[in-house]
Amino acid sequence: MAPGIYSDRHLANDLKQLYSYACQICETVLEIPGGIRFASVAHIRGLELPHSGPDTLSNMLCLCPNHQALFKFGSITIEDDLRVIDQTDGEEIGVLLVRHDIDLEHIRYHREHHKFGHQKLRDQLS
Ligand SMILES: [Zn+2]
């Protein structure tokens, strides 16, 4: 497979199929009339500047629209052991459902990039 031949849309569709349109965080499957399923694909390390993440499956997650938005804004982050953390209260939401190779470097990048102030404050207090 030569790079650049397969567009983002192809990869995104492959990923959605792999998870049967289930969110990797909450496993919700959204169905719209006509038996059509709906899911969002999030790039772990954003494609846009300054992140310049790669457009590859190892940099993608299949998520429901709620978790896609929360992940994009860093309200949820993922640990190296794939536990999903809610950054608004520091609580663990669950463990990421994984059926494809995810590059932990991207997971770390996302986590480092979205460290919220409250966490630093809590570290100071503890
Ligand atoms: Zn979800």
Side-chain angles (χ1 to χ4, degrees):
M1 191 189 322
I5 289 180
Y6 292 89
S7 69
D8 174 44
R9 189 172 290 273
H10 281 109
L11 283 177
N13 282 335
D14 285 351
L15 190 68
K16 290 176 193 176
Q17 298 279 341
L18 184 64
Y19 289 92
S20 304
Y21 291 77
C23 173
Q24 285 182 249
I25 292 174
C26 66
E27 298 187 37
T28 293
V29 177
L30 296 178
E31 291 203 34
I32 46 184
I36 299 165
R37 292 178 162 191
F38 181 82
S40 296
V41 167
H43 285 89
I44 301 166
R45 179 172 179 152
L47 297 180
E48 71 282 1
L49 290 171
H51 315 300
S52 304
D55 192 14
T56 56
L57 281 177
S58 65
N59 188 35
M60 290 180 184
L61 297 175
C62 178
L63 300 174
C64 69
N66 284 353
H67 282 128
Q68 193 259 345
L70 291 173
F71 185 79
K72 180 180 168 69
F73 292 111
S75 297
I76 41 183
T77 58
I78 301 167
E79 297 297 306
D80 280 6
D81 60 5
L82 303 177
R83 284 180 303 121
V84 181
I85 307 297
D86 181 343
Q87 290 295 334
T88 62
D89 59 12
E91 294 292 320
E92 182 181 327
I93 298 170
V95 177
L96 194 71
L97 172 72
V98 176
R99 293 182 189 148
H100 73 293
D101 282 336
I102 295 172
D103 191 333
L104 283 178
E105 287 300 319
H106 302 322
I107 293 283
R108 285 181 198 128
Y109 179 91
H110 176 269
R111 204 168 59 221
E112 291 301 310
H113 211 81
H114 291 290
K115 282 209 166 139
F116 275 20
H118 84 272
Q119 203 149 22
K120 288 174 195 149
L121 181 65
R122 203 172 46 197
D123 288 348
Q124 284 168 14
L125 294 173
S126 62

